[in-house]
Every structure is written in C-alpha cells, then in structure tokens.
Amino acid sequence: MKKLGFGLMRLPLTDPNDAESIDIEQLCRMADTFLERGFTYFDTAWMYCGYKSETALREAVVKRHPRDSFTVATKMPMSMITTEEEQRRIFDEQLEKCGVDHFDYYLLHNLGVERFELAKKLHSFEFVLQKKKEGKIGSIGFSYHDGAKLLDRILTEHPEIEFVQLQLNYLDWENESIQSRECYETALKHNKPVIVMEPVKGGTLASVPEAADKLFKERRPDMSASSWAVRYAASFDNVMVVLSGMSDMEQLLDNTGYMRDFEPLSPDEQNIVARAADIINEAVAVPCTACGYCVEGCPKNIPIPLYFSLYNADKRALNKGFSTHGVYYANEIRSNAKASACIECRKCESICPQHIAIADELKKVAKAFE
C-alpha cells in the first residue's frame, strides 16, 4: 500500500460555509484520480462533514469501483455514545452509509483519559474484536490525541490493537503538549504501525513564513511546502500511511504527484525541515519559551506554558473549523485548572523572562478554547 491516504474530513464543498454541501462530482473525479495513481486508503468517520462523509464515500468510491480496489477506514464516535446498544446501532448504520459489508480498518475515535474509561465501561475493545472475528473488520485500532504515558497504558492493556492513528508533523515532533515523538516511540515500542493524521497541521505547514518557504524552494523548487510536511511524516519507518484532507483537485494532484514514487527525506532535507520548524515556531502568537517559572507560584496551578503552546498552534492553523488543539485543551482541563481560572494576581508576570502579559494572554486562550 502506498503511503498516502485520502482523509475525508475536509472535502470539496459547493458552499464553503456549509460542511454538508459536498461537491460529489468533484469528489468523484478526485477519487478516480487517486485510485488511478495507485493509492487505495480512504479514511472517514461518523461525524465528518456534518455526518455526510461516509455517505459521500459510498457515492464517490464504493458504488463506482470494485471493492478490492480500495480500503475503507472509519471510526466509532466515542464522544457520542453512552450505551452498548448505541455502539451496535451505529456500527450497523456505518456499514449501510458506507455501502460495504466490512471495514478494512476500524478505529475507536479519539481516545483520551475520559474516552478510554468509557471504552472500558462499554466493552468497546471487546466489541470491535468480536466484529473482527465476524469478518466485519479487517484490522482494529484507535485514533489518539493525548500524552505518551496514557498511550503506553492503553497499548499495554490491549495488545489486540493492531495500529494507532497519531498526530505527527515536524512542528509537533517535540511539542510538550502534543508529544508526537514520544507517542510515535511508544507505538514503536509496542510494535504497532502508525497512521498519521494532521501531517500539515490544519494547513499551517502548507503556507509557511517566507523565510521557511525560501529554504524549501532553494532545495526543491518544484515541491510545495505541504509536500515537505507529508514526506516528513511518511519518512518514518513505522508509519503505514499518512492521511491528507484534500479539498480540491489541485491539492490531490500535488499530493499524489510526489507520493506516487515516494522518496523519504534525505539527511540534508531533514536539516532543512528542522530549520524551517525553528522559523515557524518564531512566528508565534505568545512568545513563551516554556521555562515553567510562571507555574511554580500560580495560586490556581494553571499549566500556563502548556496552554500557550496549544494556543500558538491553534492560531497558526489555517483551517478554522474543527480544532484539534481544542481537543488537547479539553483533555488537559479534566485534570488541570482552566485558563479562565486565572485571578489576575500577575505573580507569574513578575518572574517571566519574556515579560509576557500572561493574565491577558490567558483570557485569549480561554476565549479560543472555552
């Protein structure tokens, strides 16, 4: 299987303000080109595109191409179920919506602390394993937006899981809140292949600062900025496929063009990417260096650097719809104080080496994520 997957979360629309207005005709042309160029992996989910993504997959791909010419991945919406009966009902509806008799890959969607506990309560791991035994699922896995420690626990307790889907890109590789590197290494430790989501980080890495773009163009003038991000993620040996949400034919032609005969990044190109990451990280909304001085004296114990990291990443993202950084924030506030808990004592500001107006910036964080 080639290493590029078609993510059906951001699709061509007839009305850019209506996520349900999928341009089926254009999607059909894109899917045809994707398959013609030797790619096979389509990733969808229950709630994508206003609950229309799975149906769009049926219309554009399943009805129009032989079943053995493509693979389908979809997900159990763990944020939307409360009973085991709902789990069974949704799974059956997904088979109908996608127009298939089995899923090649099936994931528990967005496991974190809370949803992992829910999955245990509803016996979700046992459910997908049973469906695999029935021939309704080829491989079982889960998508994940949380820390490496919990990921290690889940994979230790559930060795039957066959793959994990992680957020991985060159900007998040060493990010202290997203922990791309640590999560990837955890999957490697458990010998679980990785499917990559957000390789272009919501569009952030498709339109980089001029200085970073210059580095790319000097080395490969024929390659787009996004190609560097996708190739970076695909260059890891344990990565099975990199998902790209392609919303028009131009993006699809670009992605399939350089991924058809995929070349991993050379050591020289890896260095260029590292320099580009430094440039992009300098163009941040809050110039926090995560020294942690502010946290020690905070009467509310707000993890200030962590929230600023997520806020900066969110502000850089071009896609302003669904925010993956908001998901990480929601995970964090289950065990930490919210940004809005700040009482504006400003003790943190008196010891901040960067002289940041922290209380004011926390209000922006709260506005963005709460």
Side-chain angles (χ1 to χ4, degrees), residues 278-290:
D278 290 339
I279 292 169
I280 297 167
N281 278 318
E282 288 175 1
V284 295
V286 184
C288 173
T289 60

Side-chain angles (χ1 to χ4, degrees), residues 261-334:
D261 298 307
F262 169 63
E263 297 177 20
L265 292 180
S266 66
D268 178 55
E269 289 175 322
Q270 291 279 5
N271 290 333
I272 290 172
V273 165
R275 290 163 60 195
D278 290 339
I279 292 169
I280 297 167
N281 278 318
E282 288 175 1
V284 295
V286 184
C288 173
T289 60
C291 67
Y293 297 158
C294 55
V295 178
E296 297 173 10
C298 178
K300 294 294 184 178
N301 296 312
I302 300 170
I304 297 166
L306 184 61
Y307 290 170
F308 283 168
S309 174
L310 291 173
Y311 178 70
N312 282 333
D314 194 66
K315 297 300 285 186
R316 286 193 299 266
L318 296 182
N319 187 287
K320 300 304 180 185
F322 173 76
S323 170
T324 58
H325 308 102
V327 173
Y328 283 100
Y329 182 81
N331 286 334
E332 291 297 334
I333 62 175
R334 293 190 182 100

Side-chain angles (χ1 to χ4, degrees), residues 223-238:
M223 302 286 274
S224 64
S226 60
S227 74
W228 287 81
V230 173
R231 287 178 61 226
Y232 173 86
S235 294
F236 290 95
D237 291 338
N238 200 43

Side-chain angles (χ1 to χ4, degrees), residues 88-370:
R88 289 189 289 270
R89 175 184 61 79
I90 287 176
F91 184 87
D92 290 340
E93 284 190 30
Q94 287 179 305
L95 287 172
E96 183 179 348
K97 286 175 69 179
C98 291
V100 298
D101 61 5
H102 73 281
F103 298 114
D104 302 281
Y105 302 91
Y106 196 82
L107 302 86
L108 300 180
H109 200 171
N110 191 14
L111 290 191
V113 176
E114 191 174 273
R115 289 170 193 165
F116 176 46
E117 294 303 317
L118 177 67
K120 291 194 291 184
K121 176 183 175 182
L122 301 183
H123 303 103
S124 300
F125 290 95
E126 291 83 354
F127 175 79
V128 295
L129 187 58
Q130 179 59 37
K131 290 300 179 184
K132 177 179 170 65
K133 291 177 181 177
E134 294 173 8
K136 300 293 185 181
I137 297 173
S139 297
I140 55 177
F142 59 87
S143 61
Y144 190 75
H145 286 289
D146 214 317
K149 185 176 180 180
L150 177 63
L151 179 60
D152 185 55
R153 178 187 165 196
I154 296 174
L155 292 176
T156 298
E157 293 182 14
H158 292 279
E160 72 276 16
I161 288 297
E162 296 168 275
F163 66 95
V164 292
Q165 185 164 306
L166 302 174
Q167 178 167 328
L168 192 161
N169 56 68
Y170 66 77
L171 212 57
D172 290 333
W173 186 243
E174 296 293 353
N175 185 292
E176 64 177 34
S177 55
I178 296 173
Q179 299 181 5
S180 284
R181 176 182 58 78
E182 294 176 64
C183 285
Y184 173 80
E185 290 173 353
T186 299
L188 189 61
K189 167 188 168 184
H190 288 270
N191 198 30
K192 306 299 180 184
V194 171
I195 294 173
V196 173
M197 57 184 164
E198 296 292 345
V200 192
K201 201 168 173 64
T204 298
L205 303 182
S207 181
V208 299
E210 185 177 348
D213 193 52
K214 183 179 179 182
L215 287 176
F216 294 152
K217 293 301 184 186
E218 287 177 347
R219 180 65 172 81
R220 297 289 294 267
D222 57 322
M223 302 286 274
S224 64
S226 60
S227 74
W228 287 81
V230 173
R231 287 178 61 226
Y232 173 86
S235 294
F236 290 95
D237 291 338
N238 200 43
V239 165
M240 182 172 77
V241 65
V242 178
L243 301 177
S244 178
M246 296 173 275
S247 54
D248 58 46
M249 181 61 83
E250 182 182 359
Q251 292 176 8
L252 184 132
L253 291 173
D254 180 41
N255 283 342
T256 56
Y258 61 78
M259 287 299 288
R260 185 160 41 179
D261 298 307
F262 169 63
E263 297 177 20
L265 292 180
S266 66
D268 178 55
E269 289 175 322
Q270 291 279 5
N271 290 333
I272 290 172
V273 165
R275 290 163 60 195
D278 290 339
I279 292 169
I280 297 167
N281 278 318
E282 288 175 1
V284 295
V286 184
C288 173
T289 60
C291 67
Y293 297 158
C294 55
V295 178
E296 297 173 10
C298 178
K300 294 294 184 178
N301 296 312
I302 300 170
I304 297 166
L306 184 61
Y307 290 170
F308 283 168
S309 174
L310 291 173
Y311 178 70
N312 282 333
D314 194 66
K315 297 300 285 186
R316 286 193 299 266
L318 296 182
N319 187 287
K320 300 304 180 185
F322 173 76
S323 170
T324 58
H325 308 102
V327 173
Y328 283 100
Y329 182 81
N331 286 334
E332 291 297 334
I333 62 175
R334 293 190 182 100
S335 54
N336 292 300
K338 297 180 179 181
S340 59
C342 174
I343 59 174
E344 298 186 57
C345 68
R346 301 189 185 272
K347 291 180 180 178
C348 53
E349 297 179 6
S350 66
I351 56 175
C352 175
Q354 308 304 319
H355 307 290
I356 299 169
I358 294 174
D360 295 336
E361 297 296 345
L362 284 175
K363 291 179 182 178
K364 297 176 183 177
V365 173
K367 183 178 180 180
F369 296 138
E370 297 177 28

